[in-house]
Amino acid sequence: SMTVKVSKPAINVREELADLRKPTGVAGEAMLRAETPQEQFNLIGAGRRNLIINGNFAVTQRGDYSSSTSVASGAYSVDRWKSNDPFNLQRFTGQVIDGIRTNYVKVSYNGTASMGFMQLIEDKDYEVLRGQTITISAYVRTNQALFGFRLYDGSQKYGPRFVADGNWHRATWTFTWSPSSPSYFQILFDTYQGSFPTIGSGDYMDIAMVQVELGKVATPFEHRSYGEELALCQRYYQKQIYDSGEMVSVATIWDTNDMYGRLYFPVEFRTAPTFSHNGVSAFSWYSAGNNAAVSDIFFYDINKQTTKIRWQVGTGRTPGDSAWIQSTANGNFIAADAEL
């Protein structure tokens, strides 16, 4: 028999162990810690992640808030964002925060010592969160250590307080949400923890890039296009602003003092909205060379996609004639509201 000798190169055990200890970085570590494929899917940003609408305050149909503006308790301001208690609000655009160009809002004291800023998430969206681990994140700059996160879902849940050194910090809050029958999913930035402690003149919160997502890790803020963000906001609120002479609707003269028209909404509402406008003097009617002021406006047969309008126009019209309604000045508006 013949013996065959085989030689193998020596293995440097220390080098092999060093390779095993190669750093993976924060993102890599997060992927390794993920317990399910769904968590990894969320971490790499596949699909839409952020359940907050207008988290970068790009859409502001009610006004631009370029100067500090008083917001009443319970009022909406920048789209989808509501006041829990009164405050002054100012919106800053094109700001660089942590290397990202974005917008932020300044919520500041206006005489009431319990100001709060919040967004309600619709049940169709928050149902996916039940029984799941959720992470809330935002960039916050404040001078008041009492400010922090809060969740109201029919009962109170209190999140971490913010760093109050006047510098931007990314604040995060991770928890498992398992309510049996939630009535709300309401994210708040305020001081409430069983009661409202007193704050004072000069206290403020600057807030940017707010995100609510599934998972244990705060992923980078999801920037959606302006058109996408606007369409999401218009599910809850739409404001049509007209120039002087711009046609608002076509109409048919029904009897001697009424015209009937219709408005269609560019985005379907969450539910049938309610309407407001800036006064009947904002509109006038035109038909067969005649025109006059509108004396009253009624909205009826309202659904999520359209509404009929009865324009009251006085006497002397000819039933069956066609007509149209137009704006009498720049900036006149009709607004439709289906907010939560």
Side-chain angles (χ1 to χ4, degrees), residues 189-234:
F189 295 76
D190 65 8
T191 61
Y192 189 82
Q193 292 189 87
S195 63
F196 279 115
T198 300
I199 60 171
S201 178
D203 288 342
Y204 70 91
M205 284 183 290
D206 292 340
I207 303 168
M209 292 184 282
V210 185
Q211 185 150 292
V212 171
E213 60 189 312
L214 287 167
K216 302 174 183 177
V217 177
T219 63
F221 179 76
E222 178 185 45
H223 284 272
R224 294 187 281 249
S225 71
Y226 178 82
E228 213 176 335
E229 208 73 73
L230 175 62
L232 291 172
C233 292
Q234 287 181 323

Side-chain angles (χ1 to χ4, degrees), residues 124-136:
K124 291 179 177 61
D125 291 321
Y126 73 59
E127 279 297 327
V128 72
L129 301 175
R130 291 176 66 179
Q132 303 297 315
T133 299
I134 301 165
T135 296
I136 301 172

Side-chain angles (χ1 to χ4, degrees), residues 153-299:
D153 60 6
S155 61
Q156 304 289 356
K157 294 173 177 59
Y158 307 115
R161 303 297 92 184
F162 304 137
V163 178
D165 61 2
N167 297 311
W168 284 108
H169 297 273
R170 195 179 192 207
T172 65
W173 179 22
T174 299
F175 57 90
T176 299
W177 189 54
S178 299
S180 56
S181 56
S183 51
Y184 299 94
F185 192 97
Q186 189 168 300
I187 300 299
L188 302 103
F189 295 76
D190 65 8
T191 61
Y192 189 82
Q193 292 189 87
S195 63
F196 279 115
T198 300
I199 60 171
S201 178
D203 288 342
Y204 70 91
M205 284 183 290
D206 292 340
I207 303 168
M209 292 184 282
V210 185
Q211 185 150 292
V212 171
E213 60 189 312
L214 287 167
K216 302 174 183 177
V217 177
T219 63
F221 179 76
E222 178 185 45
H223 284 272
R224 294 187 281 249
S225 71
Y226 178 82
E228 213 176 335
E229 208 73 73
L230 175 62
L232 291 172
C233 292
Q234 287 181 323
R235 178 172 162 77
Y236 303 87
Y237 181 83
Q238 296 177 33
K239 186 176 185 179
Q240 181 63 55
I241 300 174
Y242 303 99
D243 290 333
S244 179
E246 184 176 354
M247 188 173 71
V248 177
S249 90
V250 295
T252 299
I253 300 173
W254 180 256
D255 54 30
T256 57
N257 61 353
D258 289 302
M259 295 181 180
Y260 287 82
R262 184 180 289 274
L263 284 182
Y264 294 91
F265 313 133
V267 173
E268 182 176 292
F269 278 101
R270 176 186 68 86
T271 189
T274 59
F275 287 87
S276 62
H277 53 80
N278 60 319
V280 293
S281 63
F283 308 101
S284 59
W285 66 269
Y286 287 77
S287 176
N290 298 312
N291 71 283
V294 169
S295 59
D296 215 339
I297 305 171
F298 302 92
F299 300 90

